[in-house]
Amino acid sequence: MPQWRLVMQTSPNPASPVQPILAWYDRHARDLPWRAPDATPWGVLVSEIMLQQTPVARVLPVWREWLARWPEPAGLAAEPSGEAVRAWGRLGYPRRALRLHQAAVAITQRHGGAVPADHAELLALPGIGAYTAAAVASFAFGQRHAVLDTNVRRVLARLVSGAEYPPKSQTRAEVRLAESLLPDDPATAARWAVAAMELGALVCTARSPRCADCPVLDRCEWQLRGRPAYDGPPRKGQTYAGTDRQCRGRLLAVLRDAHGPVGKPALDVVWADAVQRERALDALVADGLVDPLDDGRYALPS
DNA sequence: CACTCGTGGAC
DNA sequence: TGTCCAAGAGT
């Protein structure tokens, strides 16, 4: 029998980091609107999509605008997808806006306008992967799921594995570890999920972790080993200047800031390299983020 | 699996 | 100042 089963049967387990981290969360959790008692599953879903690879501070104002304008999925679904792209503003990765619009359409058509509570049905929605499906099921519906994001992966890497950073890509061992720590009671499991994420976001950060404020410092394996530096393969540093991504961003910003369709010259002026510019524009069209009109102009999609 | 896909703040 | 990185998903 695997050792973790024995651990699970002991309740409460003194060595488990769950209780100290739950207690820490009770005192230090940020007061975020998608965690409020009146937050809807739709509000939670929108927040999770927006928060993908994007800091909380930048999401907050856009999330408020979206929820005020589209308090329910049906409202967004009734709009042209270009309105979602425009309202996305400068959050980055605008394909998320497109997929969120597609998800709203699917929720309206397939689920009667209500965000599904079922994990598999969430996973089937556009733009929702393993993490987001588990997060929505857990945070919005109080279910018991292993919610494994970049914060939790880092917390577990340090606390349990004794490494400064988790592996580059998620491993099965990480999933098993996360599942082994999950409290049995669904409501407690859901609170644990958000608490572990919050600890990673506020204390067990990637750079300059605030170990003095950590509720489980005394049992942190990374700490016990003397905080050895990361020794794995070099982690890819993302370059940006001069890339297609930067070019796409410039082109789409022109369309976002315009009130209607724009002519080709308005796009040409924002990027000097014509070959790269055309490639990026074609890609935006292929992605459905830009609509080429019959008259030669360009617009956000309808 | 490795790669693409935005943006801006912190150090 | 350049580097790092922030609640990932899709291909």
Side-chain angles (χ1 to χ4, degrees), chain A residues 42-59:
Chain A
W42 171 241
V44 173
L45 173 54
V46 171
S47 80
E48 288 303 332
I49 302 291
M50 289 184 172
L51 286 163
Q52 290 169 5
Q53 304 289 287
T54 309
V56 166
R58 203 159 352 133
V59 165

Side-chain angles (χ1 to χ4, degrees), chain A residues 283-298:
Chain A
L284 286 171
V285 171
D287 284 347
L289 285 164
V290 172
D291 190 11
L293 304 181
D294 292 336
D295 62 6
R297 294 185 299 169
Y298 294 87

Side-chain angles (χ1 to χ4, degrees), chain A residues 1-301:
Chain A
M1 172 178 288
Q3 187 175 5
W4 64 266
R5 292 190 180 279
L6 297 175
V7 171
M8 289 290 288
Q9 286 166 1
T10 345
S11 170
N13 176 4
S16 168
V18 170
Q19 294 305 328
I21 290 177
L22 285 177
W24 170 87
Y25 182 73
D26 283 342
R27 287 183 292 122
H28 298 286
R30 288 169 294 180
D31 186 19
L32 301 173
W34 46 85
R35 291 180 185 161
D38 64 341
T40 63
W42 171 241
V44 173
L45 173 54
V46 171
S47 80
E48 288 303 332
I49 302 291
M50 289 184 172
L51 286 163
Q52 290 169 5
Q53 304 289 287
T54 309
V56 166
R58 203 159 352 133
V59 165
L60 275 170
V62 183
W63 183 88
R64 292 196 185 96
E65 287 174 21
W66 272 60
L67 268 293
R69 181 173 178 183
W70 300 305
E72 295 176 8
L76 176 59
E79 299 259 17
S81 59
E83 280 306 296
V85 174
R86 190 189 305 279
W88 198 251
R90 304 187 66 81
L91 277 185
Y93 293 145
R95 292 189 295 193
R96 291 183 294 168
L98 224 44
R99 301 215 173 97
L100 191 44
H101 180 268
Q102 293 166 357
V105 171
I107 290 167
T108 304
Q109 292 179 348
R110 303 206 298 259
H111 303 288
V115 174
D118 181 73
H119 182 275
E121 291 180 339
L122 287 166
L123 196 54
L125 294 173
I128 297 195
Y131 161 76
T132 304
V136 173
S138 178
F139 304 156
F141 298 105
Q143 296 172 20
R144 183 178 182 275
H145 294 280
V147 181
L148 205 49
D149 79 323
T150 183
N151 287 305
V152 177
R153 294 185 63 216
R154 187 175 55 249
V155 168
L156 296 185
R158 291 174 181 166
L159 182 62
V160 179
S161 307
E164 184 177 17
Y165 296 118
K168 300 171 68 109
S169 52
Q170 190 178 112
T171 66
R172 194 155 305 171
E174 287 182 272
V175 176
R176 268 187 271 111
L177 173 59
E179 288 172 345
S180 75
L181 291 172
L182 219 47
D184 291 330
D185 173 55
T188 307
R191 210 161 57 88
W192 155 252
V194 70
M197 284 179 59
E198 191 77 336
L199 185 69
L202 298 183
V203 173
C204 196
T205 53
R207 284 179 300 182
S208 314
R210 299 166 176 81
C211 296
D213 300 327
C214 183
V216 286
L217 179 63
D218 61 342
R219 74 202 73 188
C220 175
E221 190 59 30
W222 185 50
Q223 194 71 218
L224 293 172
R225 293 183 188 183
R227 299 175 58 158
Y230 177 77
D231 66 343
R235 307 170 345 138
K236 55 164 184 223
Q238 23 175 261
T239 54
Y240 183 61
T243 61
D244 284 11
R245 284 155 80 173
Q246 185 183 32
C247 182
R248 287 166 57 110
R250 292 256 187 96
L251 294 171
L252 199 59
V254 172
L255 296 176
R256 261 200 326 261
D257 299 340
H259 287 278
V262 303
K264 191 72 187 327
L267 296 174
D268 290 344
V269 295
V270 300
W271 198 263
D273 184 338
V275 173
Q276 187 177 26
R277 193 177 64 228
E278 295 309 314
R279 181 173 66 234
L281 184 55
D282 286 346
L284 286 171
V285 171
D287 284 347
L289 285 164
V290 172
D291 190 11
L293 304 181
D294 292 336
D295 62 6
R297 294 185 299 169
Y298 294 87
L300 292 180

